[in-house]
Amino acid sequence: MPTSITTIKHKLDSHLGDSITVVAQAGRKKITKRRGILRETFPAVFVVELDQDQNNFEHVSYSYTDLLTKNIALEFDDDQEAVEA
């Protein structure tokens, strides 16, 4: 189980190019699910290229602290592995 930003980044680096589902808290009782492909990781954020038939925009970025604070959860489609802090 990743417990720091560096371990989360290394885990995401191993999944570059994989299909991913991002479950994000959008409000008090609202949850959004977005499907796409993990494209890039940077020192503080990672970028997901979204499916165009489901979303109005092409890319979305999240910070690793979103995973640490459990504001988002990631699920990889290929092996049903979830990334959580």
Side-chain angles (χ1 to χ4, degrees), residues 3 7 15 26-27 30 32 35 41 43 56-57 60 65 67 71-72:
T3 57
T7 56
H15 287 286
K30 187 174 180 182
T32 60
R35 293 182 46 79
T41 59
N56 294 333
F57 40 92
V60 67
T65 56
L67 282 169
N71 287 332
I72 64 170

Side-chain angles (χ1 to χ4, degrees), residues 17-75:
D18 291 348
S19 295
I20 190 172
T21 302
V22 180
V23 180
Q25 298 289 333
R28 288 184 62 186
K29 295 183 180 181
K30 187 174 180 182
I31 295 174
T32 60
K33 287 188 177 185
R34 294 188 174 126
R35 293 182 46 79
I37 297 172
L38 181 63
R39 282 296 171 203
E40 292 184 83
T41 59
F42 295 101
V45 297
F46 59 95
V47 177
V48 177
E49 183 179 313
L50 299 175
D51 292 338
Q52 290 302 303
D53 52 338
Q54 296 179 357
N55 299 290
N56 294 333
F57 40 92
E58 295 179 13
H59 299 91
V60 67
S61 64
Y62 296 99
S63 69
Y64 302 118
T65 56
D66 290 334
L67 282 169
L68 280 175
T69 58
K70 300 191 188 303
N71 287 332
I72 64 170
L74 303 178
E75 298 170 358

Side-chain angles (χ1 to χ4, degrees), residues 1-18 20 38 41 46 64 67 74-76 78-85:
M1 179 183 299
T3 57
S4 71
I5 291 175
T6 55
T7 56
I8 291 172
K9 182 179 182 324
H10 290 299
K11 189 163 182 75
L12 289 178
D13 283 339
S14 67
H15 287 286
L16 284 175
D18 291 348
I20 190 172
L38 181 63
T41 59
F46 59 95
Y64 302 118
L67 282 169
L74 303 178
E75 298 170 358
F76 292 98
D78 57 354
D79 57 359
Q80 297 299 323
E81 178 185 353
V83 176
E84 296 179 357

